[in-house]
Amino acid sequence: MAAAALRGCAAVVNCAGPFLRLGAPVVRAAIAAGADYLDISGEQPYIKRIFDDFAVAAERAGVRVVPMVNDGGFLADLIAGLAAAGAGDGEVEDVVIAHRAVGGGMSRGSGRSALANRDVFTSGLAYGDGEWRADVPAARTEVVFPGDAEPSPVARLTMPEIATVPRHVRARRVEGVTDAALVAWIAALTPDLVEGLPERPSDESRRGGRLALVAEATGKHGRVRGVVEGGDTYAVTAVVAAEAARRLAGSGAAPGVLAPSQAFDAAAFLDGLRPYGVRWSVGEPG
């Protein structure tokens, strides 16, 4: 992508995936044009690659690069940072982040990204003992999600925020899990199934969507649980991306590639989403 196309832009929000294949040229062009860059990717390998490959260039150019401004990893990064601060002043033994998305449907584009990343979704990186590793065994097999009386089975999944949380939380271990049923669904994806998905989910399907994110951090102050809940995941992503671009333009965040919690005040950002049906809390597990 030519940098000339982005000249004069304060910020670029990239919404075109799969990002592993399409994202890096847009990052490169935004940096060359002197524009802040954001994207809605949920692809862990891509997000880590952006930190590895573009941190120095972004800092030298004086621009901010914030991948993963979406309904999942972005909000998970923010709530994980707040839970860790409560559990151990930012230095904790472990952080476990659990995702649940119910209903809402899936677009063909999201399906293509899931299919493109299927092989790494269940074999990607966790964080353990100071490095990102693929051989960290799952420690959590069940989680009590908001509104449930009983725990639900969860399985290890390559969650995007694992590439960002250790950059601002000192933890021995950071792990991402999700509903076991979702892991099984991703494993069963085929090109025919993906191409049979609608270009966009119906309004009725989207209105029935619900998301829940749980971050539990264990440190010297005990275990602290952070929760984020919302509705239509596509609508939440749109609001998060627009709000992140607006706030980034007026912020004093340092240049470079940044995790959400490095670019924004986590509590203030989450509070700003309340008018859009996003609720959050941090406290001891019930």
Side-chain angles (χ1 to χ4, degrees):
M1 182 176 191
L6 305 179
R7 300 264 181 220
C9 295
V12 176
V13 182
N14 184 9
C15 302
F19 290 89
L20 270 174
R21 182 163 58 89
L22 303 173
V26 187
V27 181
R28 193 174 294 111
I31 292 173
D36 290 337
Y37 171 92
L38 310 94
D39 66 45
I40 63 170
S41 172
E43 302 169 27
Q44 186 200 82
Y46 163 81
I47 294 162
K48 187 173 185 303
R49 182 181 300 173
I50 297 307
F51 279 91
D52 292 344
D53 293 353
F54 291 102
V56 173
E59 186 172 356
R60 286 176 177 170
V63 303
R64 286 78 58 91
V65 172
V66 187
M68 195 182 72
V69 289
N70 56 29
D71 62 296
F74 183 92
L75 300 179
D77 181 278
L78 297 182
I79 200 66
L82 291 170
D89 301 323
E91 184 170 359
V92 297
E93 177 66 15
D94 64 40
V95 180
V96 177
I97 305 161
H99 292 234
R100 171 189 274 176
V102 178
M106 176 176 281
S107 71
R108 192 177 308 138
S110 295
R112 287 170 177 167
S113 290
L115 185 62
N117 288 273
R118 182 180 58 187
D119 291 342
V120 299
F121 270 152
T122 55
S123 61
L125 302 175
Y127 185 83
D129 297 322
E131 60 183 351
W132 283 273
R133 299 162 48 192
D135 62 346
V136 179
R140 189 70 66 89
T141 59
E142 57 182 27
V143 168
V144 178
F145 285 99
D148 290 356
E150 300 294 331
S152 296
V154 294
R156 164 93 171 273
L157 195 67
T158 308
M159 306 314 298
E161 68 274 5
I162 305 306
T164 65
V165 171
R167 301 178 191 278
H168 58 89
V169 172
R170 295 188 301 277
R172 189 186 66 81
R173 177 190 180 92
V174 182
E175 176 180 45
V177 295
T178 192
D179 267 326
L182 176 60
V183 177
W185 183 84
I186 291 173
L189 274 180
T190 66
D192 286 345
L193 284 173
V194 167
E195 295 309 312
L197 292 170
E199 184 174 346
R200 65 183 298 274
S202 68
D203 292 343
E204 183 179 357
S205 293
R206 289 176 52 177
R207 282 193 295 270
R210 295 290 181 272
L211 68 90
L213 304 170
V214 176
E216 292 188 352
T218 305
K220 63 184 179 181
H221 301 314
R223 178 175 290 183
V224 172
R225 174 180 166 100
V227 173
V228 178
E229 297 178 83
D232 175 357
T233 58
Y234 287 99
V236 171
T237 291
V239 169
V240 166
E243 185 68 6
R246 184 186 72 81
R247 288 179 182 243
L248 191 63
S251 78
V257 182
L258 305 174
S261 293
Q262 294 172 316
F264 307 104
D265 179 287
F269 200 110
L270 290 168
D271 280 341
L273 299 177
R274 290 189 187 275
Y276 305 98
V278 175
R279 306 176 302 281
W280 71 280
S281 62
V282 174
E284 295 182 1

